[in-house]
């Protein structure tokens, strides 16, 4: 629960630095907290918590395509490895806040991968998407899909920009099939002028709790949990690099942390 989660901040959150190198190939994501209903109180956030330094239209901010990655290679590798281990190979996937890359494992062919993002040119360049649409989810949080369409919703390094998280998480729940999984991943990087105030005010532990609260207060979710997935980095990097020596050294080069908060839709 939350008490153990907060107590673990000085240990579990930092334990990735002490991961034995001989165990890197068999590493598992580290569960930092498994939230119970009793861990949550009333909704504590106000509209002020979702204000941003730059309140201009998001479509204007994202109008120029950015064909860059927003986390380093090690963090990307850990996220791709987590997807490899968790996403159903024949499943229908929704990549929420998508861009020119979805970080999905290259060797896995999913049943479908739909993407919603802010920049049409970025989405058009994403070869993993089987369908896509450009939509400002802070302006219109309604997802353009029927109920129970997807097996999994993924969101990479974008939850910090959501100004209407409860309606959006409710929509994620609606479009998931019963028992479908939502995976929200993030690091410690962001565009600070576009991140919401409560995110900027929180430390990494607090941000995990913020996303857990989004789940709990939006719809009927179960199994809400927070994970540190950097232990998966070595396995992911070894798949990305052809030279074993280069892979081993690169697997320890990451400076970016990588976290996930996930839950399953109850219907």
């Amino acid at each position: 629960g939350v008490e153990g989660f907060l107590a673990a901040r000085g240990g579990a959150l930092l334990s990735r630095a002490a991961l034995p190198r001989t165990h890197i190939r068999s590493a598992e994501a580290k569960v930092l907290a498994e939230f119970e209903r009793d861990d949550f109180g009333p909704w504590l956030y106000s509209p002020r918590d979702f204000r941003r330094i730059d309140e201009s239209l998001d479509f204007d901010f994202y109008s120029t395509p950015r064909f860059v990655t927003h986390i380093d290679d090690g963090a990307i590798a850990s996220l791709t490895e987590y997807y490899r281990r968790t996403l159903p190979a024949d499943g229908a996937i929704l990549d929420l806040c998508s861009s020119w890359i979805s970080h999905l494992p290259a060797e896995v062919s999913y049943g479908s991968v739909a993407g919603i993002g802010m920049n049409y040119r970025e989405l058009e360049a994403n070869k993993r998407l089987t369908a896509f649409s450009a939509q400002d989810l802070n302006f219109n949080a309604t997802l353009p899909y029927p109920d129970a369409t997807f097996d999994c919703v993924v969101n990479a390094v974008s939850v910090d920009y959501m100004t209407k998280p409860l309606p959006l998480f409710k929509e994620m729940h609606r479009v998931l099939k019963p028992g479908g999984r939502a995976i929200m991943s993030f690091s410690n990087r962001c565009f600070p002028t576009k991140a919401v105030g409560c995110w900027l005010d929180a430390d990494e532990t607090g941000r995990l709790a913020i996303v857990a609260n989004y789940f709990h207060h939006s719809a009927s979710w179960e199994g809400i949990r927070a994970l540190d997935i950097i232990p998966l980095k070595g396995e992911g990097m070894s798949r990305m690099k052809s030279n074993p020596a280069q892979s081993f050294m690169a697997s320890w080069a990451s400076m970016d942390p990588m976290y996930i908060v996930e839950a399953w839709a109850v219907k």
Side-chain angles (χ1 to χ4, degrees):
V2 168
E3 291 182 2
F5 170 53
L6 294 176
R9 184 183 173 203
L13 282 176
L14 300 180
S15 63
R16 61 179 178 269
L19 181 69
R21 298 189 180 192
T22 55
H23 295 168
I24 194 167
R25 295 284 297 184
S26 60
E28 298 291 336
K30 183 178 291 296
V31 178
L32 301 178
E34 295 178 321
F35 294 90
E36 306 292 341
R37 287 191 177 274
D38 292 344
D39 292 327
F40 298 96
W43 179 252
L44 298 177
Y45 304 104
S46 70
R48 182 181 182 87
D49 291 312
F50 299 100
R51 294 177 185 170
R52 301 167 298 173
I53 296 170
D54 179 2
E55 291 285 12
S56 64
L57 292 175
D58 289 340
F59 264 129
D60 292 340
F61 183 82
Y62 294 102
S63 61
T64 300
R66 296 176 173 90
F67 295 105
V68 298
T69 55
H70 300 287
I71 47 179
D72 66 19
D73 286 350
I76 290 172
S78 69
L79 181 59
T80 299
E81 182 62 21
Y82 193 77
Y83 288 162
R84 180 179 288 110
R85 299 186 185 196
T86 57
L87 300 184
D90 59 347
I93 311 299
L94 172 59
D95 184 7
L96 200 65
C97 305
S98 185
S99 65
W100 69 280
I101 187 171
S102 293
H103 306 309
L104 298 171
E107 78 281 1
V108 180
S109 296
Y110 298 98
S112 64
V113 182
I116 289 185
M118 290 293 296
N119 188 281
Y120 186 91
R121 287 180 59 193
E122 290 184 19
L123 295 167
E124 187 179 42
N126 189 332
K127 303 307 180 184
R128 297 309 305 270
L129 301 181
T130 57
F132 65 85
S133 59
Q135 180 174 328
D136 182 352
L137 296 172
N138 285 336
F139 180 78
N140 176 16
T142 301
L143 299 176
Y145 308 106
D147 295 356
T149 298
F150 299 101
D151 296 288
C152 192
V153 175
V154 299
N155 174 269
V157 295
S158 297
V159 68
D160 41 340
Y161 306 120
M162 295 177 180
T163 62
K164 300 176 181 177
L166 295 190
L168 186 53
F169 273 59
K170 185 176 181 179
E171 277 291 284
M172 288 163 46
H173 185 276
R174 180 185 67 79
V175 302
L176 279 169
K177 299 175 183 178
R181 187 178 199 167
I183 301 173
M184 315 299 287
S185 62
F186 56 90
S187 185
N188 59 359
R189 299 195 197 187
C190 67
F191 295 118
T193 60
K194 281 297 185 180
V196 296
C198 63
W199 194 270
L200 295 179
D201 290 340
D203 61 11
E204 292 178 13
T205 302
R207 291 167 179 174
L208 295 168
I210 287 171
V211 181
N213 272 275
Y214 290 173
F215 277 116
H216 175 75
H217 289 282
S218 62
S220 182
W221 300 93
E222 67 178 5
I224 304 173
R225 63 179 190 165
L227 305 97
D228 176 0
I229 63 168
I230 283 296
L232 301 179
K233 180 176 61 175
E235 179 71 15
M237 292 298 293
S238 68
R239 295 177 185 268
M240 291 174 64
K241 306 291 185 180
S242 58
N243 184 307
Q246 182 183 18
S247 171
F248 182 81
M249 295 304 295
S251 69
W252 291 95
S254 174
M255 296 298 291
D256 290 348
M258 201 67 195
Y259 303 111
I260 278 175
V261 181
E262 63 181 3
W264 286 258
V266 178
K267 300 189 177 183

